[in-house]
Structures are given as structure tokens and as C-alpha cells.
Amino acid sequence: MGEDLKFIMFSLGHESYGVEVDHVNTIERMMPITRVPKTPDFVKGVINLRGTVIPIIDLRGRFGLEETEYTEQTRIIIVSIKDIEVGLIVAEANDVFDIDSASIEPAPEIVGGIKAKYLQGIAKLDQQRVLVLLNLSEVLNKNEIVQLEEFEG
């Protein structure tokens, strides 16, 4: 038996994903996003969250999946990646799960159209459900992080 890790579960369509709670600062409802010119399509712009300017990316777009319209369940998960805050647009955010680190298996080459380099692994929640765990430090490459740091000013 390994160490218990806490993950926030969210969805991007039909699959469930997880990010470690330690990286999550807050979960917000959708709010107006100010576009920033000359950014990749998946960078939707910036928000002003309680006085802090935070860049927002659409995870579906980041992974090359078809983007969908935002709904009442759409959420922005504010995470810290390498000392910067970034908002991740997800279809919906659900519960917090404790996962035994020994039950996390390496990710296959591609899961739901997402390449393995973006994935920390796969965790079995029960007999039928699995949670795809994101590797946040790989979700953004170094050039993108530098670009996002410029937004934060």
C-alpha cells in the first residue's frame, strides 16, 4: 500500500480526469474572459480574479480535442504550475478522491486522444471507473509558461 493522494476529479466530455489537490488553488464558475492577441487558440485570455490577473486555457483545446460550448456546469480550475497561476477550463468539476499511490498505473500511449506525456497515470476508482491523472508540469511547455508569465506582469 502506498501513500494516499488527493485528486480533484473533473471532466472534459466523456472521460474523467484528476489533478492533485496540492496544485489547485480554487474552482470558479465561468466568468468574462478578456482575449489577449497573438496567443495560441487554446489560451482564451485572462481573468481578473479578486485583483489577480490569471491566464485561462481551455484544456480541450490544449489537448487538440474539439472545443465545446460552455454550460452552467463549466468551471475554471485555478492551479499553480511552476510558480504561476493558470485557469483551466473544464466541462465540470466534481469530487475530491483519495487515491492510493500504489494503485496508479502508467498511462498508455494515448488516452481519450490525449498523449501520454500530459498524463501522470491512470487510477482505478472502482471496478468500472478510472481516473486519468494529469501531469500539470507537462500540460504547458516552457515557451507557453514564459508567455503566460508575461500576462501576470
Side-chain angles (χ1 to χ4, degrees):
M1 187 146 175
E3 173 187 2
D4 267 350
L5 303 172
K6 289 190 180 303
F7 287 86
I8 298 228
M9 186 168 117
F10 64 91
S11 67
L12 294 177
H14 300 296
E15 279 91 22
S16 295
Y17 298 88
V19 292
E20 280 189 72
V21 167
D22 291 347
H23 294 291
V24 176
N25 298 342
T26 182
I27 299 174
E28 303 290 331
R29 292 183 178 274
M30 279 303 286
M31 60 183 70
I33 299 172
T34 304
R35 281 288 302 165
V36 176
K38 298 183 180 176
T39 58
D41 286 345
F42 64 86
V43 176
K44 294 303 171 190
V46 294
I47 60 170
N48 181 346
L49 184 65
R50 296 181 273 282
T52 303
V53 176
I54 299 174
I56 302 296
I57 69 173
D58 188 313
L59 269 186
R60 289 188 63 86
R62 176 65 183 110
F63 296 141
L65 304 173
E66 185 178 334
E67 293 185 26
T68 57
E69 290 195 24
Y70 304 137
T71 68
E72 280 292 309
Q73 280 70 45
T74 302
R75 295 290 182 268
I76 300 173
I77 301 177
I78 309 293
V79 297
S80 294
I81 304 172
K82 298 177 182 174
D83 296 331
I84 66 167
E85 285 188 304
V86 176
L88 307 174
I89 298 174
V90 300
E92 62 183 291
N94 299 312
D95 299 324
V96 175
F97 282 89
D98 289 323
I99 295 175
D100 181 352
S101 62
S103 71
I104 298 174
E105 298 177 5
E109 196 73 14
I110 292 182
V111 177
I114 300 175
K115 295 178 183 172
K117 73 175 185 175
Y118 300 125
L119 306 176
Q120 180 178 342
I122 304 286
K124 292 178 186 170
L125 296 179
D126 53 37
Q127 293 296 326
Q128 298 179 337
R129 297 184 306 161
V130 295
L131 192 62
V132 180
L133 307 175
L134 289 187
N135 182 350
L136 286 179
S137 61
E138 291 295 327
V139 169
L140 297 174
N141 68 38
K142 287 181 183 172
N143 289 338
E144 291 161 345
I145 289 173
V146 167
Q147 204 172 20
L148 295 177
E149 284 174 334
E150 291 171 3
F151 294 159
E152 286 194 326

